[in-house]
């Protein structure tokens, strides 16, 4: 049992913590600015804003995402100084990949006004250039003027928002140089184009919610690091933070040789440097994630130590004895470089693989009822046989043709080769479909509480196969993953010549998550296979769970643009692509890649029986 003095100290510590928490909450609430009761969240507005951004003529490749707070030095009130608030502000900007907007807007006293502010910022971003070369004040006045000239209907909305912003800013009187600077900003808000230069003053001006700011770029390129053996160390699961973080490289504080001297002032810099290897972090410490969210800037260092050996083994290529069987040395395909607007010829190597030591198996019993239902639906859509009459050869006599021939013979008009036969021929639809499955490492994640993404893909392939086989269509199945541009794996599951059966089902059951998602190269390989099929209609059906990405530069806008270019090439070659995805954020980027009506979002395999007949009718143009 603890001593009474120890119990007393524990109680006092607990009381101090409780009082401190209550005081912090109170003073923060009192010092808070804005209107929290009228706050509007970007999560609920993002789909509408993305559509409006494209309608305004904005770059369709850009997505709308939340911005991270930046640290400024604006004039603050007495209570804000006591509470330590008013320094971090969420601003709006755009860069080459995204339009960044505040995660929450509570600038105005009504939710509708805050929604209008989101709308205005999106309209302004549609006119903003990718790189800013002008000063902040002239740039925003020019953008406001250009936006209002192009969309005069926004004039009343802008005037109302600008007047409310000016009224709110006038509630915080300033003096001296800060007052002159503030007067210049207010005049620029009310009359865009009237101010040419921002007067100098100490600190930063109060944030202007109606304007855009320069892109929040990192101070040093933060990239993946290669290990000592030359193989890139790769992260495990990826946590999604609140937004984008500023980053910089610093010297490793723990890597110095010699005597380490302790300095008292270093205590105040601990929040700026954390000796955390983010290049190979496999920790599940939630506190570290919260600390990272609270930091304005992440400082990274390279300690020279290799990442966890478990991660390196997971991502290294398996030995030849354990790996799938390569079917040749592969083929070289081009890749689109959107920065240079050029096609890099012979840039990616596609290597076909066949699963090693797979055992034929039957359809999983849990899928049997769904498969039977699909087979019944698709057998009804199978092309009916056509009876061909008045043929010179066939399996049965055509009685009507025989009567006509006998009459013509009596009249002396009979021909040497009488067409008195009839035969049945199938009405072939002339359709070829290739199903391409994403087998990247992300498919190891959980789609819901019960199923992994790879399980949904396996089930989808099983059900696709049962349906297409019952519909009597020519189809093939492949999977793909990648590890840089020189190793894009193209797994053979079923080719067009092979019948659907237990060997194919065994390969589907043997599918495992692979590496990364170099989608453009896989689409080009699938297009080449479909081009060789003597079919009038060629369909490319993709099963995926996320965006294109790879270890090298193939991520972000680069991967998106290459994938889109590959899809454009496929359409020019007579291939119709369609995507079935499990990514819940698919609406942010798939319309840009495939088109508005060329993708379908699913949550689990149980949705496929309803989806497949509709998808079949949409793509083939048939009616049941």
């Amino acid at each position: 049992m603890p001593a009474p003095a120890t119990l007393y100290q524990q109680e006092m510590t607990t009381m101090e913590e409780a009082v401190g928490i209550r005081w912090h909450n109170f003073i923060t609430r009192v010092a808070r600015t804005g209107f929290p009761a009228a706050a509007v969240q970007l999560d609920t507005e993002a789909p509408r804003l993305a559509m409006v951004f494209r309608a305004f003529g904005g770059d369709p490749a850009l997505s709308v995402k939340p911005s991270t707070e930046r640290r400024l030095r604006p004039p603050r009130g007495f209570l804000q100084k006591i509470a330590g608030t008013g320094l971090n502000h969420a601003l709006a900007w755009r860069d080459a990949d995204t339009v960044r907007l505040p995660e929450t807007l509570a600038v105005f006293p009504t939710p509708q006004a805050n929604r209008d502010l989101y709308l205005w910022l999106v309209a302004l971003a549609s006119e903003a250039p990718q790189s800013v070369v002008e000063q902040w004040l002239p740039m925003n006045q020019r953008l406001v003027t250009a936006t209002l000239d192009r969309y005069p209907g926004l004039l009343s909305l802008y005037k109302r928002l600008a007047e409310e912003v000016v009224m709110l800013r006038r509630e915080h009187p300033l003096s001296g140089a800060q007052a002159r600077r503030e007067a210049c900003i207010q005049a620029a808000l009310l009359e865009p184009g009237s101010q040419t230069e921002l007067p100098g003053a100490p600190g930063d001006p109060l944030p202007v919610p109606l304007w855009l700011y320069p892109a929040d770029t990192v101070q040093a390129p933060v990239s993946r690091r290669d290990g000592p053996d030359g193989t890139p160390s790769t992260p495990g699961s990826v946590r999604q933070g609140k937004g984008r973080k500023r980053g910089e490289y610093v010297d490793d504080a723990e890597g110095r040789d010699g005597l380490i001297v302790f300095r008292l002032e270093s205590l105040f810099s601990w929040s700026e440097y954390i000796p955390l290897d983010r290049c190979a972090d496999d920790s599940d410490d939630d506190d570290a994630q919260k600390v990272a969210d609270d930091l304005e800037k992440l400082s990274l260092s390279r300690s020279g130590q290799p990442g966890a050996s478990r991660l390196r083994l997971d991502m290294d290529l398996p030995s030849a004895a354990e790996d799938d069987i390569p079917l040749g040395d592969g083929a070289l395909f081009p890749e689109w470089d959107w920065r240079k607007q050029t096609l890099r010829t012979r840039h990616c190597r596609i290597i076909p693989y066949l699963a090693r030591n797979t055992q034929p198996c039957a359809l999983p019993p849990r899928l049997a009822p769904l498969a039977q239902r699909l087979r019944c639906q698709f057998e009804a859509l199978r092309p009916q046989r056509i009876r061909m009459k008045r043929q010179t050869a066939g399996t049965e006599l055509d009685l009507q043709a025989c009567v006509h021939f006998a009459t013509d013979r009596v009249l002396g008009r009979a021909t040497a080769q009488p067409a008195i036969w009839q035969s049945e021929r199938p009405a072939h639809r002339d359709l070829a479909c290739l199903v391409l499955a994403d087998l990247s490492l992300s498919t190891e994640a959980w789609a819901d509480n019960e199923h992994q993404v790879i399980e949904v893909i396996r089930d989808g392939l099983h059900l696709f196969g049962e349906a297409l086989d019952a519909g009597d269509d020519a189809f093939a199945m492949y999977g793909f993953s990648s590890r840089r541009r020189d190793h894009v794996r193209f797994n053979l599951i079923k080719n067009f010549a092979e019948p659907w059966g237990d060997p194919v089902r065994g390969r589907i059951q043997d599918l495992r998550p692979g590496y990364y998602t170099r989608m453009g190269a896989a689409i080009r390989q699938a297009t080449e296979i479909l081009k060789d099929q003597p079919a009038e209609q060629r369909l490319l059906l993709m099963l995926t769970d996320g965006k294109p990405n790879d270890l090298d530069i193939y991520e972000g806008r680069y991967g998106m643009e290459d994938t889109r270019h590959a899809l454009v090439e496929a359409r020019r070659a007579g291939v119709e692509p369609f995507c079935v995805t499990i990514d819940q954020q698919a609406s942010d980027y798939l319309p840009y890649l495939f088109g508005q009506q060329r993708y379908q979002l699913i949550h689990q395999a149980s949705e496929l029986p309803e989806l497949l007949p509709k998808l079949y009718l949409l793509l083939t143009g048939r009616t049941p």
Side-chain angles (χ1 to χ4, degrees), residues 216-222 246-249 297:
D216 190 12
T217 54
V218 296
Q219 295 181 4
V222 181
R246 294 178 63 87
E248 65 174 354
Y249 281 131
K297 180 171 60 178

Side-chain angles (χ1 to χ4, degrees), residues 17-36:
E17 291 177 354
V19 171
I21 291 173
R22 292 191 177 184
W23 165 252
H24 172 75
N25 293 338
F26 169 75
I27 194 64
T28 302
R29 185 173 62 255
V30 172
R32 182 183 299 158
T33 58
F35 304 90

Side-chain angles (χ1 to χ4, degrees), residues 472-484:
D472 199 23
D473 287 322
F475 70 99
M477 291 182 172
Y478 295 87
F480 75 96
S481 66
S482 64
R483 191 174 182 274
R484 299 183 185 271

Side-chain angles (χ1 to χ4, degrees), residues 8 56 58 104 142 194 278 289 349 361 398 400 534 538 543 551 586 614:
Y8 175 76
F56 278 136
T104 303
R142 183 185 59 79
S194 61
R278 284 295 180 189
Q289 177 66 24
R349 181 174 295 277
C361 68
D398 185 346
Q400 187 176 7
R538 303 180 183 93
L543 290 175
L551 280 172
K614 298 178 182 177

